[in-house]
Amino acid sequence: MSAVNAALRAARAQPGGAVGTVTLALIVLLALLAPLIAPYDIWEKAGAVYQPPSPDHLLGLDDAGADMTTLLLWGARTSLLVGFCAALIAMVIGGAIGLVAGYFGGRIDAIAMRITDYLLVIPDIPLLLIVAAVWGRSLTSVILIIGLLSWTRTARVVRTQARGVRERVYVKRARSIGAGSLRVIVHHVLPQTVPLLSTLTIFAVGNAILTETAIAFLGLGDPTAVSWGRLIQNAFDGQALSRGAWWAIVPPGLAVGVLIVSCTLVGRALEERLNPRLRSGHLSVRTFRVQP
């Protein structure tokens, strides 16, 4: 009962985070159960092209006569896979660069931040399109592209945190008694950045899913993988809007929007929960109300 009461108190304190967590968990659960609950086979032609919604096909059929409900469930698996894997790659690279640059400072910090600045000023989507066209259109390539080009913000934020942690008394004491740099980073600096990395990872998942949707919509995604972005692209190529087949484009678009909003709500809730400055201040940065 104590755990349930604690969960209820947390939900009342941060209703947006509770809604985002439940929504994100539900989407992940549906994606995992897609092979079991999908009403049709993913490549099966279940009826006429752009057949409207009916009791047999709750979300209608697409431009190839495939069931949209089935495609949405399987598309969630691809979109979530890209989002979580790309976010993990970005967090590992950005976290490592930020920790090293922030802890050592000096020339290492200057070189790392100049590289980060150069990548920050380059528009993401054109660069992603160029790299995707060169590397190929496989799902693995898309994940690597998004992950390798999305670490810059994480590196800058973690670097700032690491610069502050290295000046704390217990870190200086550990260095004074002979602790090596690797030991200090792993045992003292890294634990202080884990909450920040957790929050950034949730935000990065939403950004990666949005980026994958854009890449797939522009025709540079994996042609063999069904994702929400590819469903939107197929609807546009099949002139779904001009033919009045709104069910071929609205559901995947809404799914992308709901998933990104859920990740944002969860990330904001984690940020306020794990960042003592946001929890203990007189004013909440997010809601501009007096905090208890």
Short mmCIF file of all heavy atoms in Angstrom, two decimals, residues 52-120:
data_model
loop_
_atom_site.label_atom_id
_atom_site.label_comp_id
_atom_site.label_asym_id
_atom_site.label_seq_id
_atom_site.Cartn_x
_atom_site.Cartn_y
_atom_site.Cartn_z
N PRO A 52 -12.65 2.37 -46.62
CA PRO A 52 -12.85 3.18 -45.41
C PRO A 52 -12.97 2.31 -44.16
O PRO A 52 -13.15 1.08 -44.25
CB PRO A 52 -14.15 3.93 -45.70
CG PRO A 52 -14.86 3.08 -46.70
CD PRO A 52 -13.80 2.45 -47.55
N PRO A 53 -12.88 2.91 -42.99
CA PRO A 53 -13.01 2.14 -41.73
C PRO A 53 -14.34 1.40 -41.65
O PRO A 53 -15.38 1.89 -42.09
CB PRO A 53 -12.92 3.23 -40.65
CG PRO A 53 -12.14 4.33 -41.29
CD PRO A 53 -12.54 4.32 -42.74
N SER A 54 -14.27 0.21 -41.07
CA SER A 54 -15.44 -0.65 -40.93
C SER A 54 -15.23 -1.54 -39.71
O SER A 54 -14.14 -1.55 -39.12
CB SER A 54 -15.63 -1.50 -42.19
OG SER A 54 -14.53 -2.39 -42.37
N PRO A 55 -16.24 -2.29 -39.30
CA PRO A 55 -16.04 -3.21 -38.16
C PRO A 55 -14.91 -4.20 -38.37
O PRO A 55 -14.25 -4.62 -37.41
CB PRO A 55 -17.40 -3.91 -38.04
CG PRO A 55 -18.37 -2.92 -38.59
CD PRO A 55 -17.66 -2.24 -39.72
N ASP A 56 -14.67 -4.61 -39.62
CA ASP A 56 -13.58 -5.55 -39.89
C ASP A 56 -12.22 -4.86 -39.95
O ASP A 56 -11.18 -5.48 -39.70
CB ASP A 56 -13.83 -6.28 -41.21
CG ASP A 56 -15.04 -7.19 -41.13
OD1 ASP A 56 -15.33 -7.68 -40.02
OD2 ASP A 56 -15.71 -7.39 -42.17
N HIS A 57 -12.22 -3.59 -40.31
CA HIS A 57 -10.98 -2.80 -40.43
C HIS A 57 -11.23 -1.46 -39.74
O HIS A 57 -11.73 -0.52 -40.36
CB HIS A 57 -10.59 -2.60 -41.89
CG HIS A 57 -10.57 -3.86 -42.70
ND1 HIS A 57 -9.57 -4.80 -42.56
CD2 HIS A 57 -11.44 -4.34 -43.64
CE1 HIS A 57 -9.81 -5.81 -43.39
NE2 HIS A 57 -10.94 -5.56 -44.05
N LEU A 58 -10.87 -1.39 -38.47
CA LEU A 58 -11.23 -0.23 -37.65
C LEU A 58 -10.61 1.06 -38.16
O LEU A 58 -11.20 2.14 -38.01
CB LEU A 58 -10.81 -0.47 -36.21
CG LEU A 58 -11.50 -1.66 -35.50
CD1 LEU A 58 -10.97 -1.81 -34.08
CD2 LEU A 58 -13.01 -1.48 -35.50
N LEU A 59 -9.44 0.97 -38.76
CA LEU A 59 -8.77 2.16 -39.29
C LEU A 59 -8.67 2.14 -40.79
O LEU A 59 -7.88 2.89 -41.38
CB LEU A 59 -7.38 2.30 -38.66
CG LEU A 59 -7.34 2.53 -37.15
CD1 LEU A 59 -5.90 2.59 -36.65
CD2 LEU A 59 -8.08 3.81 -36.77
N GLY A 60 -9.46 1.32 -41.46
CA GLY A 60 -9.46 1.28 -42.91
C GLY A 60 -8.26 0.56 -43.49
O GLY A 60 -7.49 -0.11 -42.77
N LEU A 61 -8.08 0.73 -44.80
CA LEU A 61 -6.98 0.10 -45.53
C LEU A 61 -6.14 1.17 -46.21
O LEU A 61 -6.61 2.28 -46.48
CB LEU A 61 -7.52 -0.89 -46.56
CG LEU A 61 -8.45 -1.99 -46.04
CD1 LEU A 61 -8.88 -2.90 -47.19
CD2 LEU A 61 -7.77 -2.81 -44.95
N ASP A 62 -4.91 0.81 -46.53
CA ASP A 62 -4.00 1.80 -47.14
C ASP A 62 -3.99 1.68 -48.65
O ASP A 62 -4.88 1.05 -49.24
CB ASP A 62 -2.60 1.63 -46.57
CG ASP A 62 -1.91 0.35 -47.04
OD1 ASP A 62 -2.62 -0.54 -47.58
OD2 ASP A 62 -0.68 0.25 -46.88
N ASP A 63 -2.99 2.26 -49.30
CA ASP A 63 -2.93 2.29 -50.77
C ASP A 63 -2.63 0.92 -51.37
O ASP A 63 -2.78 0.75 -52.59
CB ASP A 63 -1.86 3.28 -51.22
CG ASP A 63 -0.48 2.92 -50.73
OD1 ASP A 63 -0.36 2.45 -49.57
OD2 ASP A 63 0.49 3.09 -51.49
N ALA A 64 -2.22 -0.05 -50.55
CA ALA A 64 -1.98 -1.40 -51.05
C ALA A 64 -3.03 -2.38 -50.56
O ALA A 64 -2.90 -3.59 -50.79
CB ALA A 64 -0.59 -1.88 -50.62
N GLY A 65 -4.06 -1.89 -49.89
CA GLY A 65 -5.10 -2.76 -49.38
C GLY A 65 -4.75 -3.46 -48.08
O GLY A 65 -5.41 -4.42 -47.69
N ALA A 66 -3.70 -2.98 -47.40
CA ALA A 66 -3.29 -3.58 -46.11
C ALA A 66 -4.04 -2.91 -44.97
O ALA A 66 -4.41 -1.73 -45.05
CB ALA A 66 -1.79 -3.44 -45.92
N ASP A 67 -4.26 -3.66 -43.90
CA ASP A 67 -5.01 -3.16 -42.76
C ASP A 67 -4.17 -2.13 -42.00
O ASP A 67 -3.05 -2.40 -41.59
CB ASP A 67 -5.36 -4.32 -41.83
CG ASP A 67 -6.19 -3.88 -40.64
OD1 ASP A 67 -7.34 -3.47 -40.83
OD2 ASP A 67 -5.65 -3.94 -39.51
N MET A 68 -4.74 -0.94 -41.80
CA MET A 68 -4.00 0.15 -41.15
C MET A 68 -3.73 -0.14 -39.68
O MET A 68 -2.70 0.26 -39.14
CB MET A 68 -4.77 1.46 -41.29
CG MET A 68 -4.66 2.12 -42.66
SD MET A 68 -2.96 2.60 -43.05
CE MET A 68 -2.58 3.72 -41.72
N THR A 69 -4.64 -0.83 -39.00
CA THR A 69 -4.40 -1.17 -37.60
C THR A 69 -3.16 -2.05 -37.46
O THR A 69 -2.32 -1.83 -36.58
CB THR A 69 -5.61 -1.89 -37.01
OG1 THR A 69 -6.77 -1.06 -37.16
CG2 THR A 69 -5.40 -2.21 -35.54
N THR A 70 -3.05 -3.03 -38.33
CA THR A 70 -1.87 -3.91 -38.32
C THR A 70 -0.61 -3.12 -38.61
O THR A 70 0.42 -3.29 -37.94
CB THR A 70 -2.05 -5.03 -39.35
OG1 THR A 70 -3.21 -5.79 -39.04
CG2 THR A 70 -0.83 -5.93 -39.38
N LEU A 71 -0.66 -2.24 -39.62
CA LEU A 71 0.51 -1.46 -39.98
C LEU A 71 0.93 -0.52 -38.86
O LEU A 71 2.12 -0.31 -38.62
CB LEU A 71 0.23 -0.67 -41.26
CG LEU A 71 0.01 -1.50 -42.53
CD1 LEU A 71 -0.36 -0.60 -43.70
CD2 LEU A 71 1.25 -2.33 -42.85
N LEU A 72 -0.03 0.05 -38.16
CA LEU A 72 0.30 0.94 -37.05
C LEU A 72 1.00 0.19 -35.92
O LEU A 72 1.96 0.68 -35.32
CB LEU A 72 -0.96 1.63 -36.52
CG LEU A 72 -1.45 2.87 -37.27
CD1 LEU A 72 -2.73 3.38 -36.64
CD2 LEU A 72 -0.38 3.95 -37.27
N LEU A 73 0.50 -1.00 -35.60
CA LEU A 73 1.12 -1.78 -34.53
C LEU A 73 2.56 -2.17 -34.88
O LEU A 73 3.47 -2.06 -34.04
CB LEU A 73 0.27 -3.03 -34.25
CG LEU A 73 -1.10 -2.78 -33.61
CD1 LEU A 73 -1.89 -4.07 -33.55
CD2 LEU A 73 -0.94 -2.19 -32.21
N TRP A 74 2.76 -2.63 -36.10
CA TRP A 74 4.11 -3.00 -36.51
C TRP A 74 4.99 -1.78 -36.72
O TRP A 74 6.20 -1.83 -36.46
CB TRP A 74 4.06 -3.84 -37.79
CG TRP A 74 3.68 -5.26 -37.55
CD1 TRP A 74 2.43 -5.80 -37.62
CD2 TRP A 74 4.55 -6.32 -37.17
NE1 TRP A 74 2.46 -7.14 -37.31
CE2 TRP A 74 3.75 -7.49 -37.04
CE3 TRP A 74 5.91 -6.41 -36.94
CZ2 TRP A 74 4.29 -8.72 -36.68
CZ3 TRP A 74 6.46 -7.65 -36.59
CH2 TRP A 74 5.64 -8.79 -36.46
N GLY A 75 4.40 -0.69 -37.17
CA GLY A 75 5.18 0.54 -37.32
C GLY A 75 5.68 1.08 -36.00
O GLY A 75 6.75 1.68 -35.93
N ALA A 76 4.91 0.86 -34.93
CA ALA A 76 5.35 1.29 -33.60
C ALA A 76 6.63 0.57 -33.20
O ALA A 76 7.51 1.16 -32.55
CB ALA A 76 4.24 1.04 -32.58
N ARG A 77 6.75 -0.69 -33.54
CA ARG A 77 7.97 -1.44 -33.20
C ARG A 77 9.19 -0.81 -33.86
O ARG A 77 10.23 -0.61 -33.22
CB ARG A 77 7.82 -2.91 -33.65
CG ARG A 77 6.75 -3.67 -32.91
CD ARG A 77 6.49 -5.03 -33.56
NE ARG A 77 7.63 -5.90 -33.45
CZ ARG A 77 7.83 -6.78 -32.46
NH1 ARG A 77 6.96 -6.86 -31.46
NH2 ARG A 77 8.89 -7.55 -32.45
N THR A 78 9.08 -0.48 -35.14
CA THR A 78 10.21 0.11 -35.86
C THR A 78 10.55 1.49 -35.32
O THR A 78 11.72 1.80 -35.07
CB THR A 78 9.89 0.19 -37.36
OG1 THR A 78 9.58 -1.11 -37.86
CG2 THR A 78 11.06 0.77 -38.12
N SER A 79 9.53 2.32 -35.13
CA SER A 79 9.78 3.68 -34.65
C SER A 79 10.39 3.68 -33.25
O SER A 79 11.33 4.43 -32.96
CB SER A 79 8.47 4.48 -34.65
OG SER A 79 7.98 4.63 -35.97
N LEU A 80 9.89 2.83 -32.36
CA LEU A 80 10.45 2.76 -31.01
C LEU A 80 11.86 2.19 -31.02
O LEU A 80 12.72 2.63 -30.25
CB LEU A 80 9.55 1.91 -30.12
CG LEU A 80 8.22 2.54 -29.71
CD1 LEU A 80 7.35 1.53 -28.99
CD2 LEU A 80 8.45 3.76 -28.82
N LEU A 81 12.11 1.20 -31.88
CA LEU A 81 13.45 0.63 -31.98
C LEU A 81 14.45 1.69 -32.40
O LEU A 81 15.53 1.83 -31.81
CB LEU A 81 13.45 -0.54 -32.97
CG LEU A 81 14.82 -1.19 -33.25
CD1 LEU A 81 15.37 -1.84 -32.00
CD2 LEU A 81 14.70 -2.21 -34.38
N VAL A 82 14.09 2.46 -33.43
CA VAL A 82 14.98 3.53 -33.88
C VAL A 82 15.16 4.57 -32.79
O VAL A 82 16.28 5.03 -32.51
CB VAL A 82 14.42 4.18 -35.17
CG1 VAL A 82 15.22 5.41 -35.54
CG2 VAL A 82 14.42 3.19 -36.31
N GLY A 83 14.06 4.95 -32.14
CA GLY A 83 14.13 5.99 -31.11
C GLY A 83 15.03 5.61 -29.95
O GLY A 83 15.93 6.37 -29.57
N PHE A 84 14.82 4.43 -29.38
CA PHE A 84 15.58 4.04 -28.20
C PHE A 84 17.04 3.72 -28.54
O PHE A 84 17.95 4.11 -27.79
CB PHE A 84 14.93 2.83 -27.52
CG PHE A 84 13.74 3.18 -26.69
CD1 PHE A 84 12.46 2.95 -27.16
CD2 PHE A 84 13.89 3.77 -25.45
CE1 PHE A 84 11.34 3.29 -26.40
CE2 PHE A 84 12.79 4.11 -24.68
CZ PHE A 84 11.51 3.87 -25.15
N CYS A 85 17.29 3.05 -29.65
CA CYS A 85 18.67 2.71 -30.01
C CYS A 85 19.47 3.96 -30.38
O CYS A 85 20.62 4.12 -29.94
CB CYS A 85 18.68 1.71 -31.17
SG CYS A 85 18.07 0.08 -30.75
N ALA A 86 18.88 4.84 -31.18
CA ALA A 86 19.58 6.08 -31.55
C ALA A 86 19.83 6.95 -30.32
O ALA A 86 20.89 7.56 -30.19
CB ALA A 86 18.77 6.84 -32.60
N ALA A 87 18.85 7.03 -29.42
CA ALA A 87 19.03 7.82 -28.20
C ALA A 87 20.14 7.24 -27.34
O ALA A 87 20.93 7.99 -26.74
CB ALA A 87 17.72 7.88 -27.43
N LEU A 88 20.23 5.90 -27.26
CA LEU A 88 21.29 5.27 -26.47
C LEU A 88 22.66 5.60 -27.05
O LEU A 88 23.60 5.92 -26.30
CB LEU A 88 21.07 3.76 -26.43
CG LEU A 88 22.10 2.95 -25.64
CD1 LEU A 88 22.11 3.37 -24.18
CD2 LEU A 88 21.81 1.46 -25.76
N ILE A 89 22.78 5.53 -28.38
CA ILE A 89 24.06 5.87 -29.01
C ILE A 89 24.43 7.33 -28.74
O ILE A 89 25.58 7.65 -28.39
CB ILE A 89 23.98 5.60 -30.52
CG1 ILE A 89 23.83 4.10 -30.79
CG2 ILE A 89 25.22 6.14 -31.24
CD1 ILE A 89 23.59 3.75 -32.24
N ALA A 90 23.45 8.22 -28.88
CA ALA A 90 23.71 9.64 -28.65
C ALA A 90 24.11 9.90 -27.20
O ALA A 90 25.00 10.72 -26.92
CB ALA A 90 22.48 10.47 -29.02
N MET A 91 23.46 9.20 -26.25
CA MET A 91 23.78 9.41 -24.85
C MET A 91 25.19 8.90 -24.52
O MET A 91 25.91 9.53 -23.75
CB MET A 91 22.75 8.70 -23.97
CG MET A 91 21.38 9.32 -23.96
SD MET A 91 21.36 11.08 -23.57
CE MET A 91 21.13 11.78 -25.23
N VAL A 92 25.57 7.76 -25.07
CA VAL A 92 26.90 7.22 -24.79
C VAL A 92 27.98 8.15 -25.34
O VAL A 92 28.95 8.51 -24.63
CB VAL A 92 27.04 5.81 -25.38
CG1 VAL A 92 28.49 5.32 -25.29
CG2 VAL A 92 26.12 4.83 -24.65
N ILE A 93 27.82 8.56 -26.60
CA ILE A 93 28.84 9.43 -27.20
C ILE A 93 28.85 10.80 -26.54
O ILE A 93 29.90 11.32 -26.13
CB ILE A 93 28.59 9.55 -28.72
CG1 ILE A 93 28.73 8.18 -29.39
CG2 ILE A 93 29.56 10.54 -29.34
CD1 ILE A 93 28.40 8.19 -30.87
N GLY A 94 27.68 11.43 -26.46
CA GLY A 94 27.61 12.75 -25.86
C GLY A 94 28.02 12.76 -24.40
O GLY A 94 28.71 13.69 -23.94
N GLY A 95 27.60 11.73 -23.64
CA GLY A 95 27.98 11.67 -22.24
C GLY A 95 29.48 11.51 -22.06
O GLY A 95 30.08 12.17 -21.19
N ALA A 96 30.09 10.65 -22.86
CA ALA A 96 31.54 10.44 -22.74
C ALA A 96 32.32 11.70 -23.10
O ALA A 96 33.24 12.11 -22.38
CB ALA A 96 31.97 9.28 -23.63
N ILE A 97 31.94 12.34 -24.20
CA ILE A 97 32.64 13.56 -24.61
C ILE A 97 32.42 14.68 -23.59
O ILE A 97 33.35 15.42 -23.24
CB ILE A 97 32.17 14.00 -26.01
CG1 ILE A 97 32.62 12.97 -27.05
CG2 ILE A 97 32.69 15.39 -26.36
CD1 ILE A 97 32.13 13.27 -28.45
N GLY A 98 31.19 14.81 -23.10
CA GLY A 98 30.92 15.84 -22.11
C GLY A 98 31.67 15.63 -20.82
O GLY A 98 32.19 16.58 -20.22
N LEU A 99 31.75 14.37 -20.34
CA LEU A 99 32.48 14.09 -19.11
C LEU A 99 33.96 14.39 -19.25
O LEU A 99 34.57 15.03 -18.38
CB LEU A 99 32.28 12.62 -18.72
CG LEU A 99 30.95 12.23 -18.09
CD1 LEU A 99 30.86 10.72 -17.95
CD2 LEU A 99 30.78 12.90 -16.72
N VAL A 100 34.56 13.94 -20.34
CA VAL A 100 35.99 14.16 -20.54
C VAL A 100 36.30 15.64 -20.68
O VAL A 100 37.24 16.17 -20.06
CB VAL A 100 36.48 13.37 -21.77
CG1 VAL A 100 37.92 13.74 -22.11
CG2 VAL A 100 36.37 11.87 -21.52
N ALA A 101 35.51 16.34 -21.51
CA ALA A 101 35.76 17.77 -21.73
C ALA A 101 35.54 18.57 -20.45
O ALA A 101 36.33 19.47 -20.12
CB ALA A 101 34.85 18.29 -22.84
N GLY A 102 34.48 18.27 -19.71
CA GLY A 102 34.21 19.02 -18.51
C GLY A 102 35.18 18.75 -17.38
O GLY A 102 35.52 19.65 -16.61
N TYR A 103 35.65 17.52 -17.27
CA TYR A 103 36.55 17.17 -16.17
C TYR A 103 37.97 17.69 -16.41
O TYR A 103 38.59 18.28 -15.51
CB TYR A 103 36.57 15.66 -15.97
CG TYR A 103 37.51 15.21 -14.88
CD1 TYR A 103 37.13 15.30 -13.53
CD2 TYR A 103 38.77 14.71 -15.17
CE1 TYR A 103 38.00 14.91 -12.53
CE2 TYR A 103 39.65 14.31 -14.17
CZ TYR A 103 39.25 14.41 -12.85
OH TYR A 103 40.11 14.02 -11.85
N PHE A 104 38.50 17.46 -17.60
CA PHE A 104 39.88 17.84 -17.86
C PHE A 104 40.03 19.32 -18.22
O PHE A 104 41.02 19.95 -17.87
CB PHE A 104 40.46 16.97 -18.99
CG PHE A 104 40.69 15.55 -18.59
CD1 PHE A 104 39.80 14.56 -18.98
CD2 PHE A 104 41.78 15.19 -17.81
CE1 PHE A 104 40.00 13.24 -18.61
CE2 PHE A 104 41.98 13.87 -17.44
CZ PHE A 104 41.09 12.89 -17.84
N GLY A 105 39.05 19.87 -18.94
CA GLY A 105 39.13 21.28 -19.31
C GLY A 105 40.30 21.54 -20.24
O GLY A 105 40.83 20.64 -20.90
N GLY A 106 40.75 22.80 -20.28
CA GLY A 106 41.93 23.15 -21.06
C GLY A 106 41.77 22.88 -22.54
O GLY A 106 40.72 23.13 -23.14
N ARG A 107 42.85 22.37 -23.15
CA ARG A 107 42.85 22.15 -24.59
C ARG A 107 41.88 21.06 -24.99
O ARG A 107 41.24 21.15 -26.06
CB ARG A 107 44.27 21.77 -25.03
CG ARG A 107 44.41 21.58 -26.53
CD ARG A 107 45.87 21.40 -26.92
NE ARG A 107 46.65 22.61 -26.59
CZ ARG A 107 47.95 22.71 -26.83
NH1 ARG A 107 48.62 21.69 -27.37
NH2 ARG A 107 48.60 23.83 -26.51
N ILE A 108 41.73 20.01 -24.17
CA ILE A 108 40.77 18.94 -24.50
C ILE A 108 39.35 19.50 -24.56
O ILE A 108 38.59 19.22 -25.49
CB ILE A 108 40.86 17.82 -23.46
CG1 ILE A 108 42.23 17.15 -23.51
CG2 ILE A 108 39.76 16.79 -23.67
CD1 ILE A 108 42.42 16.08 -22.45
N ASP A 109 39.01 20.33 -23.60
CA ASP A 109 37.69 20.96 -23.58
C ASP A 109 37.50 21.84 -24.80
O ASP A 109 36.44 21.82 -25.44
CB ASP A 109 37.54 21.76 -22.29
CG ASP A 109 36.17 22.40 -22.17
OD1 ASP A 109 35.21 21.87 -22.79
OD2 ASP A 109 36.04 23.41 -21.47
N ALA A 110 38.50 22.64 -25.15
CA ALA A 110 38.38 23.55 -26.29
C ALA A 110 38.18 22.78 -27.59
O ALA A 110 37.32 23.14 -28.41
CB ALA A 110 39.62 24.44 -26.37
N ILE A 111 38.96 21.73 -27.80
CA ILE A 111 38.84 20.96 -29.05
C ILE A 111 37.48 20.27 -29.13
O ILE A 111 36.81 20.31 -30.17
CB ILE A 111 39.98 19.93 -29.15
CG1 ILE A 111 41.34 20.63 -29.27
CG2 ILE A 111 39.75 18.99 -30.33
CD1 ILE A 111 42.52 19.68 -29.24
N ALA A 112 37.06 19.64 -28.03
CA ALA A 112 35.78 18.93 -28.03
C ALA A 112 34.61 19.89 -28.27
O ALA A 112 33.69 19.59 -29.04
CB ALA A 112 35.59 18.19 -26.71
N MET A 113 34.65 21.06 -27.65
CA MET A 113 33.54 22.00 -27.81
C MET A 113 33.55 22.67 -29.18
O MET A 113 32.49 23.02 -29.71
CB MET A 113 33.61 23.06 -26.72
CG MET A 113 33.24 22.53 -25.34
SD MET A 113 31.57 21.80 -25.29
CE MET A 113 31.95 20.02 -25.36
N ARG A 114 34.72 22.85 -29.79
CA ARG A 114 34.73 23.41 -31.14
C ARG A 114 34.11 22.42 -32.13
O ARG A 114 33.36 22.81 -33.03
CB ARG A 114 36.16 23.74 -31.56
CG ARG A 114 36.82 24.86 -30.81
CD ARG A 114 36.15 26.23 -30.96
NE ARG A 114 34.94 26.32 -30.16
CZ ARG A 114 34.93 26.49 -28.83
NH1 ARG A 114 36.05 26.55 -28.15
NH2 ARG A 114 33.78 26.60 -28.18
N ILE A 115 34.44 21.14 -31.98
CA ILE A 115 33.82 20.13 -32.85
C ILE A 115 32.32 20.11 -32.63
O ILE A 115 31.52 20.04 -33.58
CB ILE A 115 34.43 18.75 -32.57
CG1 ILE A 115 35.92 18.75 -32.94
CG2 ILE A 115 33.69 17.66 -33.34
CD1 ILE A 115 36.63 17.45 -32.57
N THR A 116 31.90 20.19 -31.36
CA THR A 116 30.47 20.21 -31.05
C THR A 116 29.80 21.43 -31.66
O THR A 116 28.70 21.34 -32.22
CB THR A 116 30.27 20.21 -29.53
OG1 THR A 116 30.93 19.08 -28.97
CG2 THR A 116 28.79 20.14 -29.18
N ASP A 117 30.44 22.59 -31.58
CA ASP A 117 29.86 23.81 -32.14
C ASP A 117 29.71 23.70 -33.66
O ASP A 117 28.70 24.17 -34.22
CB ASP A 117 30.74 25.02 -31.79
CG ASP A 117 30.70 25.34 -30.31
OD1 ASP A 117 29.74 24.92 -29.63
OD2 ASP A 117 31.64 26.00 -29.83
N TYR A 118 30.70 23.12 -34.33
CA TYR A 118 30.61 22.98 -35.78
C TYR A 118 29.42 22.11 -36.18
O TYR A 118 28.69 22.41 -37.13
CB TYR A 118 31.90 22.40 -36.35
CG TYR A 118 33.09 23.31 -36.24
CD1 TYR A 118 34.37 22.81 -36.02
CD2 TYR A 118 32.94 24.70 -36.33
CE1 TYR A 118 35.47 23.65 -35.89
CE2 TYR A 118 34.03 25.54 -36.20
CZ TYR A 118 35.29 25.01 -35.99
OH TYR A 118 36.37 25.85 -35.87
N LEU A 119 29.21 21.02 -35.43
CA LEU A 119 28.09 20.14 -35.74
C LEU A 119 26.76 20.77 -35.38
O LEU A 119 25.73 20.50 -36.02
CB LEU A 119 28.25 18.81 -35.01
CG LEU A 119 29.39 17.90 -35.51
CD1 LEU A 119 29.48 16.66 -34.64
CD2 LEU A 119 29.17 17.52 -36.97
N LEU A 120 26.74 21.65 -34.37
CA LEU A 120 25.50 22.28 -33.95
C LEU A 120 24.98 23.27 -34.99
O LEU A 120 23.77 23.42 -35.16
CB LEU A 120 25.70 23.00 -32.62
CG LEU A 120 25.59 22.14 -31.35
CD1 LEU A 120 25.97 22.96 -30.13
CD2 LEU A 120 24.18 21.59 -31.19
#
